[in-house]
Amino acid sequence: MKRKIGAVLYWIGIAMSLPFIVLIGASMMKIISQGAESQYVNSTFLGIFGAAFSYAVGVMLRHNLTQDP
């Protein structure tokens, strides 16, 4: 049962990172079309760090739940 809940928490972490991945894509499209303005570069870095953090939260929750005491 713990493994199933851990897998669900892992996928929740991935789902939380999806909006940040969309932000990265949108920012990259703006950079390509309008140039590397600071607001688009900042949005790209925000997306990268947000996606990495959300994924890490899912992995951490899965690890904490499935580790043996």
Side-chain angles (χ1 to χ4, degrees), residues 20-38:
F20 293 108
I21 293 171
V22 172
L23 177 64
I24 294 168
S27 298
M28 292 302 290
M29 292 298 293
K30 287 286 192 173
I31 288 172
I32 291 169
S33 66
Q34 296 181 3
E37 295 181 23
S38 65

Side-chain angles (χ1 to χ4, degrees), residues 9-28:
L9 291 173
Y10 174 73
W11 285 106
I12 288 173
I14 290 175
M16 287 186 332
S17 70
L18 290 178
F20 293 108
I21 293 171
V22 172
L23 177 64
I24 294 168
S27 298
M28 292 302 290

Side-chain angles (χ1 to χ4, degrees), residues 1-10 12 61-62 65-66:
M1 184 66 175
K2 282 185 179 182
R3 290 207 179 273
K4 288 182 183 180
I5 295 173
V8 168
L9 291 173
Y10 174 73
I12 288 173
L61 289 173
R62 179 183 67 176
L65 185 68
T66 58

